Amino acid sequence: MSRRVGISTGGGDAPGLNAVIRAFVKHAIRDHGWEVVGIEDSFDGLLETPRRLRALSLRSCQGLLHRGGTILGTTNRGDPFTYVGPDGTTRDRSHEVAQAAAEAGLEGIVTIGGDGTQRISHRLMRDHGLKVIGVPKTIDNDLASTDRTFGFQTAVDIATEALDRLHTTAESHERVMFLEVMGRDAGHIALHAGISGGADVILLPEIPYDPDLIAAKVRARRDVGRLFTLVVVAEGALPKTCAGMSPEERKERLRRGHGAAAVAMAQLDGLVPHEMRHVILGHIQRGGTPTPADRLLATRYGVAAAELVAADRWGEMVALRNGEVVGVSMAEATSSQKLVDPDGSLVRTARATGISFG
């Protein structure tokens, strides 16, 4: 059966995007004989004139498995329901996406993205009948319907390596070193990297911290001859005094404080007998070559997405559950965010090894 299917990448970039595209195209063409059309820069490629679409072939997928970024481009400001025009005003162009996809002869679109992209995709199907299948992508690993999103393990590996490097310089200069990693709402990267990299303190959005407890941890280390401290800070972590703030208020507090690590350092000023320094890892976590684990997961997701298309299971997202890749409804996939459980096993493991959460 001849089919013509679109594929797009949306939201922030993540290692493994190209591996998904490669796997989907290979399975779609080799085993099903479909046409695959890449849509550039998420849904923007359907809204601009001329439309930015490209045919994807087996040849165009050569060398993609280990390549970071996305050959299709992406944007985290591509919501067609609140499309921002050149003059800064917003309008709803969602109906144009469905119309453009139909005019391009696309049966449906495989959308590779995080929670924002998948919510938009689900809404496009619900409101305008655009057939979609989702592939979960976010380095934050905060989609509740899947055990793991690709890109997460690469981000954790990069953050862990950064901690390894900071360990030696912190010890040499007897400093308290703060490493700020991504995680505005969910602190999975900070938690996993903090445990793996031997951090002494981990600060998460889910656990508002007490500066006095962090200072006590630093002083306790000093009392036993450990004259340095490593602190991992998720970018959304704030002290207990900010508990109860709205998301907008939290964002403004972080902006005024020049980031979560800088806020934490300011809270500890005068409380610790050490020089303090901070490093913001930022977009380094998103770039570069995906780890073998992310390449493997991305490949499994790409193949599974093609299998959902073949089975006409539109409106589902591929997900990893108990080691198996399955399809879950888009409604379920976008219903909630997966946050760190303050009483969960990983937090208990960290506490058992002496890590403080403030």
Side-chain angles (χ1 to χ4, degrees):
M1 176 181 177
S2 178
R3 309 175 87 155
R4 182 175 166 88
V5 181
I7 188 168
S8 69
T9 53
D13 61 315
L17 282 167
N18 285 323
V20 176
I21 296 169
R22 170 183 178 271
F24 180 83
V25 171
K26 278 178 169 284
H27 194 24
I29 294 177
R30 290 168 59 91
D31 299 318
H32 298 288
W34 304 338
E35 290 182 68
V36 182
V37 177
I39 303 166
E40 297 182 357
D41 293 338
S42 191
F43 299 111
D44 285 1
L46 289 169
L47 293 175
E48 296 179 5
T49 304
R51 293 177 188 137
R52 291 186 285 114
L53 309 175
R54 67 165 84 167
L56 296 178
S57 63
L58 295 178
R59 179 177 291 276
S60 67
C61 291
Q62 293 177 354
L64 290 189
L65 184 62
H66 64 279
R67 182 173 166 183
T70 164
I71 60 170
L72 296 177
T74 188
T75 176
N76 55 10
R77 295 173 181 165
D79 185 352
F81 289 93
T82 55
Y83 188 86
V84 181
D87 59 355
T89 59
T90 61
R91 61 191 177 101
D92 186 350
R93 299 187 63 188
S94 56
H95 64 285
E96 296 179 51
V97 173
Q99 181 180 345
E103 291 174 354
L106 302 181
E107 180 181 352
I109 301 175
V110 173
T111 59
I112 313 169
D115 57 344
T117 299
Q118 302 309 337
R119 287 192 184 95
I120 293 168
S121 300
H122 178 237
R123 191 175 173 188
L124 285 169
M125 185 166 186
R126 183 192 66 197
D127 294 357
H128 302 294
L130 178 65
K131 293 181 178 179
V132 294
I133 283 171
V135 177
K137 173 278 318 169
T138 166
I139 66 169
D140 292 329
N141 199 38
D142 59 353
L143 279 168
S145 58
T146 182
D147 294 342
R148 186 64 59 92
T149 57
F150 72 87
F152 172 67
Q153 190 58 54
T154 302
V156 169
D157 284 10
I158 291 168
T160 302
E161 181 183 356
L163 276 174
D164 290 344
R165 294 178 180 276
L166 288 176
H167 190 122
T168 55
T169 187
E171 187 171 16
S172 297
H173 290 275
E174 300 179 3
R175 287 173 173 158
V176 178
M177 297 290 292
F178 293 78
L179 176 68
E180 183 179 313
V181 300
M182 287 186 168
R184 181 184 58 200
D185 301 310
H188 297 291
I189 294 175
L191 180 59
H192 284 245
I195 295 173
S196 302
D200 306 298
V201 180
I202 301 174
L203 304 181
L204 306 175
E206 297 90 343
I207 307 177
Y209 59 86
D210 182 340
D212 289 329
L213 294 180
I214 301 173
K217 174 68 175 179
V218 175
R219 290 193 298 267
R221 285 178 55 78
R222 186 178 182 86
D223 290 344
V224 296
R226 303 297 282 169
L227 306 181
F228 70 98
T229 299
L230 288 179
V231 184
V232 182
V233 189
E235 64 181 330
L238 282 169
K240 287 185 174 180
T241 53
C242 298
M245 284 185 173
S246 68
E248 293 74 20
E249 290 171 329
R250 292 176 63 88
K251 184 176 180 180
E252 176 60 20
R253 177 68 181 91
L254 290 165
R255 186 195 66 79
R256 286 189 289 106
H258 305 289
V263 169
M265 286 175 57
Q267 295 287 311
L268 290 173
D269 189 32
L271 298 180
V272 297
H274 294 280
E275 188 177 30
M276 294 184 286
R277 292 284 188 272
H278 77 279
V279 175
I280 300 175
L281 204 50
H283 287 79
I284 290 173
Q285 295 158 94
R286 293 191 177 280
T289 301
T291 62
D294 276 337
R295 298 183 204 186
L296 177 60
L297 183 58
T299 299
R300 294 180 72 187
Y301 279 168
V303 168
E307 291 175 348
L308 288 182
V309 172
D312 286 319
R313 290 171 60 179
W314 300 99
E316 294 189 19
M317 185 188 81
V318 298
L320 182 69
R321 291 188 171 178
N322 300 316
E324 296 297 323
V325 178
V326 299
V328 298
S329 73
M330 297 285 282
E332 177 187 349
T334 58
S335 62
S336 62
Q337 194 174 30
K338 180 172 68 181
L339 304 178
V340 170
D341 181 358
D343 299 314
S345 63
L346 273 184
V347 173
R348 294 198 306 271
T349 296
R351 292 189 191 278
T353 58
I355 295 174
S356 170
F357 291 86

